[in-house]
Amino acid sequence: MDTINEHDIAVIGMSGRFPDAPDLKKYWENLISGYNSIRQSSKEELEASGIGVEIIQHPKFVNASSKLKDGSYFDAEFFGISKREATIMDPQIRLLLETSWHALEDAGYAQGQLDDPVGNFCGMSFNTYLVDILQSKSITENFDPLLYRILNDKDFLATWISYKLNLTGPAMSIQTACSTSLLAIHLACQSLLNYECTLALAGGVAFDATRPVGYIHVAESIYSKDGLCRPFDENASGTVGGDGVGVVVLKRASEAIEDKDYIYGIIKGTAANNDGSHKQAYTAPSLNQQRDVILEALSVSEIDPSTIGMVEAHGTGTKIGDPIEVAAISEAYGEYTQDTNYCAIGSVKSNIGHLDAAAGIASFIKAILCVKNGKLVPSLHFTKPNPALNLESTPFYVSQNQQQWPDRFDIRRAGISSLGVGGTNVHIIVEEPPQLKDRNTDKTWEARPYSDAVEILVPAKGADLYIFAGPS
């Protein structure tokens, strides 16, 4: 049970912020309680949103969002960044920088203690912030245009964070849409296994600075017509967009054990591929390539699927995507076992919506917390399976309630899928941390100075710059 292979990677640090969850403790509490963070905005919030009465009163307007509270707050002084630079910087970069720091701190490798090369693999969603910046004359006046790119462009994301945290390993900005952050983990593992770095950060962020409070439903789009994400359910009609940020710290497992690092879980294997052109359209999924990426991850992991008790699916709740994903996983598992209905399947999108570039890291952290704590958590809004899934003849059942990990499994293992629009598929297999007698099971903490955070807001066009004091 505690055998560690040479290709195993340990998760030794984690940090994240998700809707209604300012930290991972609260995130886990929300997951096990089946809390829905997709919410309707009040009349006052709708009026203050600035989206227009004609949109709010549109017959197909869906009042649903999954937002990150206090996403615009940032402690610029702590990172040696001027308030003016912080104002120019995309909030997504601010969030990822802070979360990367906290992940390293959680791992016990704070800044100044990193003598060995540390890799950084991360990505972010579309920047909705820069347009507002460029419209504000008081901010852009006498400011180097190159800094607009450095502090907003995806090209500079990983290298900027590595510069601020003094990380000297490979730094790569990853961009594959919805599968961005899970691909970041895959590439971080590859870098560690190639001995390009000693530690690696991996994660992603999605934060829409325009703060939308809903959307107009369009037939055949991926967005839900009723404002709920219902993965695998017969009434599923799509997903809801959301905000979030997450980062994990990875290390070769044998070295993590030797160094007595705290271990959240073990990555047994990862795989990535692309659909190519053999599918109906660029945005359409491919059953064959989804199946093949899972088979590759199983092969690398040297894991029998009958020992996996949970699959955290991409699970967007779409009529086309869910059946193809379940069929692909079932075909992959079917090459090893004919057992049915023994493995729980779910999707965190039912709790927090689709976090775009941060979707994969939200799923990964959920799966790691499940194998670590020995619990299966509910996938929400499921009443009756979509008949197109044929769940009764697959290895899977939808996890609807919190429960202990089933006794049939000698070890807790989970698979995680993330499928990007355009075709980049990623699958990762994880298992519970090794049970070592001399393992550090409790983290120790010391007080560190951290200045008051301020909210960085963009003023109206032509107005002066204001910095609003607020909570961290």
Side-chain angles (χ1 to χ4, degrees):
M1 179 175 174
D2 292 335
T3 301
I4 295 296
N5 297 321
E6 61 180 1
H7 60 259
D8 289 348
I9 301 294
V11 181
I12 64 169
M14 300 197 301
S15 181
R17 294 168 62 184
F18 301 102
D20 294 319
D23 53 42
L24 296 187
K25 180 177 183 294
K26 183 61 177 175
Y27 185 51
W28 176 243
E29 290 174 0
N30 289 347
L31 290 174
I32 61 175
S33 66
Y35 186 81
N36 178 25
S37 293
I38 301 173
R39 59 181 291 269
Q40 290 190 338
S41 299
S42 66
K43 179 181 178 181
E44 293 74 21
E45 289 171 325
L46 288 173
E47 291 174 349
S49 68
I51 63 174
V53 175
E54 70 281 1
I55 295 178
I56 295 173
Q57 295 180 349
H58 193 286
K60 293 188 177 181
F61 175 72
V62 180
N63 181 2
S65 59
S66 183
K67 303 301 295 176
L68 193 63
K69 294 180 180 178
D70 301 329
S72 57
Y73 288 93
F74 177 60
D75 193 344
E77 183 181 348
F78 183 79
F79 293 101
I81 297 172
S82 72
K83 290 181 178 179
R84 195 167 187 217
E85 287 177 324
T87 305
I88 294 291
M89 189 188 302
D90 184 350
Q92 295 183 106
I93 302 177
R94 307 177 204 155
L95 285 165
L96 196 59
L97 175 59
E98 286 188 326
T99 306
S100 297
W101 167 275
H102 286 302
L104 282 170
E105 188 177 49
D106 183 64
Y109 294 93
Q111 190 178 29
Q113 303 175 13
L114 304 172
D115 297 328
D116 295 322
V118 178
N120 186 21
F121 303 81
C122 57
M124 70 181 190
S125 295
F126 179 70
N127 184 343
T128 61
Y129 186 69
L130 185 57
V131 173
D132 289 335
I133 285 290
L134 294 176
Q135 290 177 344
S136 180
K137 182 178 179 181
S138 64
I139 299 178
T140 59
E141 206 167 43
N142 300 320
F143 208 88
D144 184 354
L146 178 59
L147 276 179
Y148 299 144
R149 287 196 61 200
I150 292 174
L151 300 179
N152 283 275
D153 196 324
K154 294 178 179 181
D155 284 357
F156 303 99
L157 174 66
T159 52
W160 171 254
I161 291 174
S162 289
Y163 167 70
K164 297 306 297 183
L165 300 182
N166 191 29
L167 311 180
T168 59
M172 297 185 189
S173 296
I174 313 301
Q175 301 302 328
T176 59
C178 323
S179 59
T180 291
S181 50
L182 206 66
L183 183 64
I185 295 174
H186 166 72
L187 294 175
C189 291
Q190 295 297 310
S191 185
L192 285 165
L193 294 175
N194 289 333
Y195 286 81
E196 297 171 340
C197 53
T198 302
L199 297 177
L201 296 177
V205 60
F207 181 75
D208 191 338
T210 62
R211 301 178 179 177
V213 293
Y215 54 90
I216 293 178
H217 179 257
V218 177
E220 308 303 326
S221 79
I222 68 167
Y223 294 105
S224 167
K225 66 181 181 182
D226 62 2
L228 293 176
C229 184
R230 307 172 184 271
F232 319 117
D233 189 78
E234 66 173 351
N235 294 316
S237 62
T239 190
V240 177
D243 294 335
V245 57
V247 175
V248 293
V249 181
L250 308 178
K251 189 175 184 178
R252 289 180 288 272
S254 58
E255 296 173 13
I257 292 172
E258 182 179 352
D259 294 340
K260 296 184 174 59
D261 290 308
Y262 183 90
I263 299 175
Y264 287 95
I266 298 293
I267 298 174
K268 300 296 292 183
T270 72
N273 70 8
N274 189 269
D275 292 342
S277 59
H278 294 292
K279 56 183 182 178
Q280 291 183 343
Y282 174 73
T283 58
S286 167
L287 189 157
N288 290 341
Q289 295 308 116
Q290 289 184 27
R291 176 201 61 213
D292 289 351
V293 80
I294 295 167
L295 287 171
E296 184 179 351
L298 289 169
S299 176
V300 170
S301 302
E302 300 176 350
I303 291 296
D304 181 343
S306 65
T307 66
I308 295 175
M310 166 191 163
V311 169
E312 173 62 11
H314 189 63
T316 54
T318 57
K319 290 292 186 182
I320 296 176
D322 282 6
I324 288 178
E325 182 174 11
V326 170
I329 305 173
S330 299
E331 284 193 16
Y333 278 42
E335 296 199 13
Y336 291 82
T337 178
Q338 298 303 310
D339 291 350
T340 60
N341 305 130
Y342 68 88
C343 180
I345 191 171
S347 171
V348 76
K349 293 177 182 65
S350 68
N351 303 80
I352 59 175
H354 193 333
L355 306 193
D356 195 62
I361 192 68
S363 295
F364 181 85
I365 290 175
K366 170 189 171 181
I368 285 291
L369 291 173
C370 285
V371 297
K372 173 183 175 291
N373 294 314
K375 291 183 182 293
L376 298 174
V377 301
S379 191
L380 306 186
H381 316 308
F382 179 87
T383 55
K384 188 176 180 181
N386 179 347
L389 303 180
N390 297 313
L391 272 181
E392 66 280 356
S393 61
T394 75
F396 309 109
Y397 66 93
V398 176
S399 176
Q400 295 178 260
N401 303 294
Q402 178 198 155
Q403 58 179 299
Q404 295 294 323
W405 208 272
D407 291 337
R408 67 167 281 164
F409 300 102
D410 294 329
I411 189 167
R412 300 190 294 271
R413 289 175 173 151
I416 309 116
S417 282
S418 193
L419 317 171
V421 169
T424 296
N425 310 303
V426 185
H427 194 76
I428 293 179
I429 295 170
V430 299
E431 73 178 28
E432 65 181 286
Q435 304 300 313
L436 304 174
K437 293 182 179 179
D438 59 347
R439 175 171 165 259
N440 290 339
T441 56
D442 295 307
K443 288 186 177 293
T444 57
W445 306 91
E446 65 173 294
R448 297 179 63 87
Y450 199 75
S451 57
D452 292 334
V454 295
E455 184 175 18
I456 312 295
L457 298 178
V458 178
K461 187 175 181 180
D464 292 330
L465 171 63
Y466 295 98
I467 304 296
F468 294 92
S472 61

